[in-house]
Amino acid sequence: MTTNRSIRRVPPWRGLVLAVALAGAALAGSGALAAGKASTADHGKFKELQQSFASGPEVTKACLICHTEAAKQVHSTKHWSWEFLNPATDQKLGKKNVINNFCISVPSNYPFCTSCHVGYGWKDANFDFTAEENVDCLVCHDTTGSYRKLPGLAGHPPYQDTEIPPGSGKFAKAVDLTKVAQKVGRTSRDTCGACHFFGGGGDGVKHGDMDSSLAAPDRELDVHMDATGLDFTCGTCHRTSSHDVPGSRYTPVARDTEGAHIPGRQDDSLPATCPACHGQAPHKGGGHAAKLNDHTDVVACQTCHIPQIARGGVATKMSWDWSTAGQMGPDGKPMLKKDEAGRVIYDSKKGDFVLGENVVPEYRWFNGEVTYTLLGDKVDKSEGVTRINRLGGSAEDGKSLIWPMKVFVGVQPYDPVNRTLVTPHTAGNDDTAYWKNFGWEKAIKTGMQVSGSAFSGQVDFVRTEMSWPITHMVAPKENAVRCGECHMKGGRLENIGGVYIPGRDANPLIDLFGWLMAGGALLGALVHGGLRIVRRNG
Amino acid sequence: MERIYIFKRFERFWHWSQALLIILMMVTGFEIHGTYTLLGYGDASELHTSAAWALIALWVFAIFWHFTTGEWRQYIPTTENLVAMLRYYMSGIFTHAAHPFRLTQLRKHNPLQRLAYLGVKLMINPLIWLSGLAYLYYNEINAVGFGLELGVVALVHTIGAFLMLAFLVVHVYVITTGHTWSSHLKAMITGWEEIEDPQQGAKS
């Protein structure tokens, strides 16, 4: 699960995906290549792209000759700034600012984290966010599957064959920029997935509902993205406007009360919600369907239609205990421990992991409001659990629905004197990087300096929790959560309050009186009948 | 011994279909309520709803039949013989006393039955049906601004179900109190009730 290992995992996945996609396309006669066919431009014929490029920014300059506004558009998005101001809470969020309980934080680890930035060269806080040529067009628009960026290169692809990790004897081939540039096209599950499937340091680690199995899913895994069926890409729902991708972790739409959006009729917008296409009464027909539609005032579509997460054969991380990191193997060197399935469950660099597949989500009322515990916010260890993010919502606020969540548990370093979470310097080859020297004090001191925050020099660990609303891996209807899984005592919604759930809730007093009454009637009948028999015989 | 034709064909059909549907709704209803797991919640609730619609349809016919045939008069409450009936069930029945009520085609229910059935028709059924329809159309009703609480709807429906269950228990037992243990049951199946010859007095 280290960043290094995630890199080693990319090529086989890419190869497999491409093979599957090509096979699918060949069989169906359409499919994965359809997007390319729909284009009105063959970029291979553009003179600007018929040259050898020495770097990514050079390619971008060529792109911008025609796509004059593209870089400016990208500049205004979260994909570029990694910054987001939540207007509801005034919290300054975005990857750059939030702390999580996976790899913890970006500052001081830029060259590694920014291998997933849509730009080139963000290696420290001095990065020029106004430079247009630093926008990486290819990472989203590559259609060859050969373009990739390596951790440690600050968002650049390898320009020559690069040994990764150094000394491993494994080489990442230099990217053929000319070929990639001449074959650009629409975004795909592969291009979005190159970052979003691998969030948190490896395949499926972070989200649980997004991993490499979605590159070419079958119908059972994702009814919309089904590679041989509807074949949606990410962009089908997250339909961009001026390079801005709708859908947000920071201000998600928890309850879309509008009807289906019909492009060209009402408006052209397409929020990335289920009702945006399906409307508020998605189940067609009377009777049972109507009863299901009744649920949409309380239950998010995802709650029934995503029965489990991590269903595609890729495990997701359910907990990460940093406090056990730093134990060395018998040879005194960092080690890995694996489970029977060969998945890493201990890494000297990172500590202990718990992995899960086919995980039943937890359920919460959620209204779309998310508040983060940010650097500098006071943490109280005596509370037991520090919530990295707090989700707003209740049965009463009229804005909430019951949502499925992946609740990720962490044990991570904090400063017991200042009582704050910390931003350790983990990645890098320098003397203070935790993954090289295994010293928390040094790593946190460096990290906190880069973050511009005070550090007392003391390190303790605090238990944290982070909730991830689940919205991908939508199963076909026949695999939706069955009625009885919630409508029973001890069911999925056992801990959901504020709503009467038949099968789970009953008034114990009424039940008591009811059974006493019915039982009394039975007893009376038995006594009466018994007496009749006795008297008759007697 | 005398045999009189008490229950007409439609009445018997109506009675037994209703009995079947009500028992089905009891079984499925208490599963929906969470009392036990038998069919699974989804199937139980679908069956419950289907049975409810069937029962409503049946009742529309039954009400029509009652009014066109005048049979509705069978449920007009009366105090005549009421105390005698109570006394019979409480003591006379044990001493083989004469049944205080003389069955005829125009008076096929004794005064206690009249009261009980009227109670079912005017109290328990409407309670169950109105709350059941509110349960079914909960969202639509609230959409027009009623502000129903599902928990309250369910509570009322549950109370109705328990009342119906208690009625059913007593009703089934009272079947055995005829001229013989099974004469009432036979009457409800064949339409013909055997009644004791009043001149001969009590004899088993």
Side-chain angles (χ1 to χ4, degrees):
Chain A
M1 288 296 169
T2 67
T3 29
N4 291 341
R5 256 189 322 285
S6 78
I7 283 313
R8 265 184 275 143
R9 296 184 71 145
V10 173
W13 157 63
R14 277 276 166 87
L16 186 70
V17 166
L18 202 65
V20 170
L22 286 173
L27 283 173
S30 61
L33 300 177
K37 276 183 200 160
S39 176
T40 56
D42 179 353
H43 284 76
K45 291 179 180 164
F46 290 168
K47 292 241 166 5
E48 290 82 354
L49 300 180
Q50 290 167 355
Q51 54 163 303
S52 74
F53 296 103
S55 72
E58 278 187 30
V59 179
T60 301
K61 277 185 198 163
C63 300
L64 293 174
I65 293 169
C66 295
H67 302 276
T68 58
E69 305 309 303
K72 291 190 197 80
Q73 290 176 351
V74 171
H75 280 175
S76 67
T77 70
K78 286 194 291 289
H79 273 135
W80 176 255
S81 66
W82 282 15
E83 220 164 37
F84 177 75
L85 183 71
N86 186 336
T89 58
D90 263 349
Q91 284 195 311
K92 209 174 181 190
L93 305 173
K95 263 186 206 311
K96 205 171 111 179
N97 300 306
V98 297
I99 293 176
N100 66 31
N101 47 1
F102 292 92
C103 291
I104 303 182
S105 70
V106 174
S108 86
N109 303 308
Y110 285 117
F112 288 79
C113 301
T114 58
S115 60
C116 269
H117 181 240
V118 285
Y120 300 116
W122 187 0
K123 63 182 189 331
D124 54 37
N126 298 321
F127 179 62
D128 181 4
F129 283 94
T130 63
E132 294 194 16
E133 70 270 22
N134 280 351
V135 170
D136 182 350
C137 308
L138 300 178
V139 72
C140 299
H141 294 285
D142 171 40
T143 64
T144 67
S146 66
Y147 185 82
R148 58 199 175 99
K149 316 208 299 176
L150 299 181
L153 301 184
H156 285 283
Y159 299 128
Q160 55 262 184
D161 293 358
T162 305
E163 189 180 28
I164 182 135
S168 68
K170 290 180 178 163
F171 283 84
K173 287 194 73 162
V175 169
D176 182 346
L177 290 172
T178 304
K179 182 181 130 198
V180 173
Q182 289 184 355
K183 297 206 165 172
V184 289
R186 287 169 185 269
T187 60
S188 62
R189 294 189 295 255
D190 289 352
T191 54
C192 301
C195 283
H196 292 280
F197 293 163
F198 296 90
D203 195 0
V205 164
K206 194 182 271 176
H207 300 283
D209 58 339
M210 278 191 279
D211 59 47
S212 66
S213 66
L214 284 180
D218 59 12
R219 185 167 175 274
E220 193 278 328
L221 179 59
D222 192 301
V223 71
H224 300 110
M225 297 178 100
D226 175 11
T228 55
L230 290 172
D231 201 25
F232 281 21
T233 67
C234 309
T236 311
C237 296
H238 296 273
R239 201 169 65 180
T240 55
S241 166
S242 306
H243 281 100
D244 196 16
V245 182
S248 170
R249 283 277 158 198
Y250 302 119
T251 55
V253 179
R255 182 174 194 167
D256 184 351
T257 52
E258 291 176 38
H261 286 237
I262 302 165
R265 207 178 290 176
Q266 268 177 316
D267 61 330
D268 252 358
S269 68
L270 187 69
T273 64
C274 308
C277 289
H278 293 282
Q280 297 293 330
H283 309 93
K284 299 295 170 231
H288 185 55
K291 200 24 89 186
L292 291 177
N293 283 339
D294 281 353
H295 287 69
T296 59
D297 60 336
V298 182
V299 183
C301 306
Q302 290 87 337
T303 294
C304 298
H305 290 279
I306 306 175
Q308 288 100 26
I309 54 176
R311 290 204 310 280
V314 178
T316 189
K317 229 166 244 183
M318 297 307 294
S319 89
W320 182 332
D321 184 352
W322 281 98
S323 71
T324 59
Q327 297 163 19
M328 296 298 147
D331 57 355
K333 287 184 177 163
M335 59 164 171
L336 299 176
K337 282 184 207 161
K338 295 182 178 178
D339 64 9
E340 319 81 63
R343 300 174 306 208
V344 176
I345 52 171
Y346 179 79
D347 181 339
S348 299
K349 291 177 170 180
K350 300 183 171 184
D352 279 297
F353 307 133
V354 175
L355 300 168
E357 277 187 62
N358 303 309
V359 178
V360 173
E362 295 186 29
Y363 297 90
R364 302 267 167 86
W365 285 104
F366 181 43
N367 62 8
E369 291 164 21
V370 189
T371 316
Y372 279 79
T373 301
L374 295 173
L375 190 60
D377 291 347
K378 289 295 171 206
V379 169
D380 188 353
K381 192 176 178 176
S382 67
E383 276 179 13
V385 176
T386 296
R387 294 188 199 287
I388 296 280
N389 66 352
R390 287 169 195 274
L391 304 184
S394 73
E396 292 82 26
D397 66 9
K399 293 186 289 185
S400 299
L401 294 176
I402 298 164
W403 269 75
M405 305 281 167
K406 171 185 169 179
V407 178
F408 184 71
V409 175
V411 177
Q412 68 192 93
Y414 95 118
D415 180 336
V417 178
N418 292 325
R419 295 202 293 122
T420 60
L421 294 175
V422 294
T423 56
H425 176 44
T426 46
N429 281 319
D430 59 283
D431 183 44
T432 64
Y434 185 79
W435 289 343
K436 192 155 173 67
N437 288 285
F438 299 96
W440 279 117
E441 282 79 7
K442 277 195 292 184
I444 295 171
K445 194 178 166 205
T446 302
M448 291 296 266
Q449 263 168 11
V450 173
S451 298
S453 275
F455 174 51
S456 72
Q458 291 198 45
V459 182
D460 193 5
F461 290 85
V462 66
R463 197 178 154 83
T464 56
E465 213 178 82
M466 191 170 186
S467 295
W468 295 80
I470 294 299
T471 194
H472 303 103
M473 292 190 180
V474 175
K477 60 184 172 189
E478 64 271 18
N479 293 348
V481 173
R482 312 309 299 175
C483 310
E485 293 184 50
C486 298
H487 288 277
M488 60 185 283
K489 295 176 183 80
R492 288 179 182 237
L493 299 186
E494 181 66 4
N495 298 318
I496 290 290
V499 63
Y500 183 90
I501 301 177
R504 183 195 72 169
D505 300 324
N507 184 309
L509 211 57
I510 293 295
D511 275 25
L512 180 68
F513 279 124
W515 291 119
L516 280 177
M517 181 173 61
L522 186 63
L523 194 67
L526 290 174
V527 169
H528 197 270
L531 274 175
R532 279 169 62 209
I533 292 170
V534 169
R535 296 306 291 245
R536 184 155 304 194
N537 296 339
Chain B
M1 186 63 61
E2 201 183 329
R3 292 180 82 228
I4 59 171
Y5 190 63
I6 297 283
F7 300 116
K8 300 181 179 115
R9 196 182 298 172
F10 175 80
E11 248 174 323
R12 284 176 279 140
F13 163 76
W14 167 56
H15 172 269
W16 287 113
S17 321
Q18 179 176 247
L20 198 72
L21 288 171
I22 286 177
I23 289 165
L24 183 65
M25 294 183 74
M26 289 263 171
V27 171
T28 52
F30 279 107
E31 173 159 16
I32 292 167
H33 187 62
T35 309
Y36 46 76
T37 304
L38 199 66
L39 303 165
Y41 182 93
D43 288 345
S45 89
E46 268 196 65
L47 208 53
H48 193 78
T49 311
S50 306
W53 286 117
L55 191 58
I56 286 173
L58 189 66
W59 259 72
V60 170
F61 275 108
I63 289 169
F64 178 74
W65 180 85
H66 275 87
F67 281 101
T68 50
T69 57
E71 287 285 329
W72 63 274
R73 292 191 181 85
Q74 301 279 2
Y75 305 104
I76 297 172
T78 172
T79 52
E80 188 190 341
N81 272 333
L82 185 64
V83 177
M85 268 315 295
L86 273 171
R87 197 175 293 135
Y88 173 75
Y89 281 129
M90 283 163 70
S91 63
I93 194 168
F94 302 122
T95 58
H96 316 306
H99 200 289
F101 179 73
R102 175 105 178 103
L103 209 59
T104 71
Q105 281 184 332
L106 292 178
R107 293 192 311 166
K108 53 187 163 197
H109 302 315
N110 73 47
L112 272 180
Q113 281 175 300
R114 281 189 185 226
L115 273 183
Y117 299 157
L118 192 69
V120 170
K121 285 172 207 297
L122 290 188
M123 196 181 76
I124 301 179
N125 279 351
L127 195 69
I128 293 180
W129 290 17
L130 288 177
S131 58
L133 286 170
Y135 217 137
L136 216 47
Y137 291 103
Y138 168 71
N139 285 51
E140 284 80 355
I141 292 167
N142 278 350
V144 248
F146 269 90
L148 276 184
E149 290 253 3
L150 189 59
V152 175
V153 173
L155 192 82
V156 174
H157 202 60
T158 308
I159 292 172
F162 275 119
L163 289 172
M164 183 60 94
L165 179 63
F167 167 80
L168 187 70
V169 169
V170 175
H171 183 73
V172 167
Y173 172 66
V174 172
I175 290 174
T176 67
T177 61
H179 160 61
T180 66
W181 288 84
S182 62
S183 65
H184 283 341
L185 184 63
K186 278 183 194 153
M188 205 65 237
I189 294 169
T190 63
W192 290 90
E193 174 94 77
E194 291 175 358
I195 51 171
E196 286 171 310
D197 187 345
Q199 270 71 43
Q200 289 191 6
K203 211 194 273 175
S204 63

